Amino acid sequence: MTPQLDAVFREAAEQVWPLPHLPGAVSVVRRRARAVLAHWNLAPDLAEDALLVISELITNAVAHARPPAVLRLSRIVDGRTTLRIEVTDAGPAAAGGRPVVEPYPGECGRGLGIVTALATRCGTDVHAGGVTRWAELLAA
């Protein structure tokens, strides 16, 4: 990464990306998020937990909601570092409850439980634009 981009990532308190509505979106966005978390100098354990939460929230949006979807990462430093992860989508998939993108068999139903276990706080906000699922992780 160039020194100029390095400075942008280090100073930025927020990063926002649209999420491709494809099964491969999780790995693409996860790589991008890993770079941002590294440049924010987060503790390795916090960064790994954050990547897992990011993966679960993105998978949920891609598999169970309508596009468009957006990931927002926010770093809040006020004595301690808090990382806020938000994924906003256009709401539940079409009637019938079938996933928009078929998940891998046997790997369904645990994502939000994982998010709840790793997050200091988490929740869901329903609004006119759709649904935002969020989680906050606090540095140890």
Side-chain angles (χ1 to χ4, degrees):
M1 189 165 287
T2 67
Q4 186 177 26
L5 280 177
D6 186 54
V8 168
F9 280 134
R10 234 181 258 290
E11 299 302 319
E14 186 171 85
Q15 294 287 316
V16 180
W17 305 295
L19 300 173
H21 212 73
L22 305 165
V26 176
S27 62
V28 170
V29 174
R30 192 176 156 99
R31 279 192 300 275
R32 188 178 230 183
R34 183 183 301 277
V36 170
L37 299 175
H39 283 86
W40 281 351
N41 290 320
L42 297 179
D45 58 336
L46 178 61
E48 287 304 314
D49 287 352
L51 288 169
L52 184 51
V53 169
I54 289 165
S55 296
E56 296 300 339
L57 292 179
I58 293 170
T59 299
N60 188 63
V62 170
H64 302 291
R66 295 184 320 245
V70 174
L71 169 67
R72 178 182 310 274
L73 297 178
S74 304
R75 179 185 53 159
I76 304 153
V77 180
D78 57 356
R80 296 184 85 179
T81 299
T82 301
L83 181 66
R84 184 172 173 98
I85 302 161
E86 299 177 9
V87 173
T88 300
D89 58 55
R98 288 191 46 89
V100 176
V101 175
E102 289 294 329
Y104 297 105
E107 295 185 13
C108 248
R110 298 185 301 258
L112 295 180
I114 291 169
V115 171
T116 300
L118 293 174
T120 305
R121 296 175 2 141
C122 61
T124 302
D125 298 326
V126 178
H127 44 82
V131 177
T132 300
R133 288 176 181 77
W134 57 272
E136 292 181 352
L137 287 76
L138 184 62

